[in-house]
Amino acid sequence: MIDTHAHLTALDDPDDAVARAADAGVTRILTVGTDVDDCRRSLELAERHDGVFAILGIHPHVAGTATTEDLAALRDLLACPKAVAAGETGLDWYRDYAPRDDQRRIFDAQLELAMELEKPVVIHTRAADDDTLAALAAHTGTIVLHCFSSPHMLPTALERDWYVSFAGNATFPKAVDLRLAATQVPAERILAETDSPYLAPQPVRGLRNEPANVVHTLAALAQARGEEPTELERRIERNAVECFSLP
Ligand SMILES: [Zn+2]
């Protein structure tokens, strides 16, 4: 099993979390860096563990302080062999931690970087669906909607062949709309993630989340889709390998 989105650097014991994940059958983890320093740490972790790969970006929450130098540094880091995607990047009008113009500027810059380096882009969008869709209108590279929580975006995602990645919130009893969305995503576009240490799935809800828990999201998705968990697991692995060009 693979966890396609975790923030290992936000855990106190990332190396142990990698080992616990492997014990649970989660042998590959994509860890996400959210600013240049965090991207360096994420890449170091990826270089230490065969099964760990890095998604490198500047998160919309920190877009307000991101400089041109940061973007140049990010470009260099993204050229490393273990860097498999740009992001997470996008727009967050819910928290609004960074001025909206800065969020747009940093998002556009990362879309350009991804095109130049031919990497997929992992998208964070919150309370900004229409503006996110507008920003992506002209983007022709591979897109992953991470922590999918916007059923409203699903028709566009399906039409444009984007990957849709479900996180622990899809397991919550009230998340009927997310599980319905999961039944509408074609088999070759579905992904699963933890977004650890956030959003622990239902059986461990409220606890600190970690990559081993992706099995709970997988189980909920399989049940919603009426598929065998082992079959969906293989399918998601294959999708991730293709999406992120994993070895
Ligand atoms: Zn994330």
Side-chain angles (χ1 to χ4, degrees):
M1 184 62 194
I2 183 166
D3 178 0
T4 65
H5 191 116
H7 298 270
L8 286 175
T9 55
L11 300 170
D12 324 316
D13 55 350
D15 295 291
D16 295 341
V18 171
R20 285 194 296 273
D23 288 344
V26 182
T27 52
R28 285 194 275 199
I29 301 167
L30 308 189
T31 189
V32 184
T34 54
D35 63 29
V36 171
D37 283 345
D38 191 37
C39 286
R40 288 206 178 93
R41 286 194 297 273
S42 302
L43 210 44
E44 280 166 24
L45 259 168
E47 275 155 10
R48 260 202 316 274
H49 299 276
D50 283 347
V52 177
F53 301 84
I55 297 171
L56 305 178
I58 298 171
H59 197 283
H61 289 348
V62 296
T65 52
T67 61
T68 320
E69 291 73 41
D70 289 337
L71 287 164
L74 178 62
R75 190 193 178 288
D76 290 345
L77 295 172
L78 276 169
C80 299
K82 272 230 148 168
V84 296
E88 55 186 292
T89 180
L91 305 172
D92 193 318
W93 297 169
Y94 180 75
R95 300 270 183 212
D96 261 334
Y97 284 150
R100 294 185 174 187
D101 282 349
D102 287 326
Q103 293 193 41
R104 286 200 178 88
R105 170 177 62 88
I106 292 299
F107 185 17
D108 288 343
Q110 291 178 87
L111 289 175
E112 264 173 49
L113 268 183
M115 283 308 279
E116 183 198 334
L117 299 168
E118 299 183 342
K119 305 269 186 192
V121 189
V122 174
I123 303 295
H124 170 111
T125 179
R126 196 146 181 220
D129 294 354
D130 291 339
D131 292 318
T132 299
L133 289 175
L136 290 172
H139 191 80
T140 53
T142 302
I143 293 288
V144 178
L145 297 181
H146 124 76
C147 190
F148 184 74
S149 330
S150 311
H152 168 66
M153 289 174 82
L154 194 62
T156 308
L158 301 185
E159 193 186 300
R160 299 202 50 201
D161 239 2
W162 293 343
Y163 288 88
V164 180
S165 184
F166 291 89
N169 53 340
T171 67
F172 297 167
K174 283 188 179 158
V176 179
D177 56 339
L178 295 185
R179 287 188 293 277
L180 177 66
T183 66
Q184 294 165 347
V185 177
E188 62 278 10
R189 285 294 175 267
I190 193 166
L191 295 171
E193 61 172 72
T194 57
D195 205 14
S196 346
Y198 319 106
L199 281 177
Q202 191 62 29
V204 287
R205 195 169 178 177
L207 301 177
R208 189 198 64 165
N209 199 8
E210 61 175 58
N213 292 330
V214 75
V215 297
H216 300 301
T217 301
L218 175 83
L221 295 176
Q223 193 186 30
R225 291 169 66 90
E227 291 171 13
E228 281 299 320
T230 49
E231 201 143 303
L232 184 60
E233 177 183 327
R234 271 198 295 274
R235 172 43 89 175
I236 289 175
E237 285 260 12
R238 230 181 306 156
N239 293 347
V241 165
E242 190 180 314
C243 174
F244 297 102
S245 304
L246 303 180

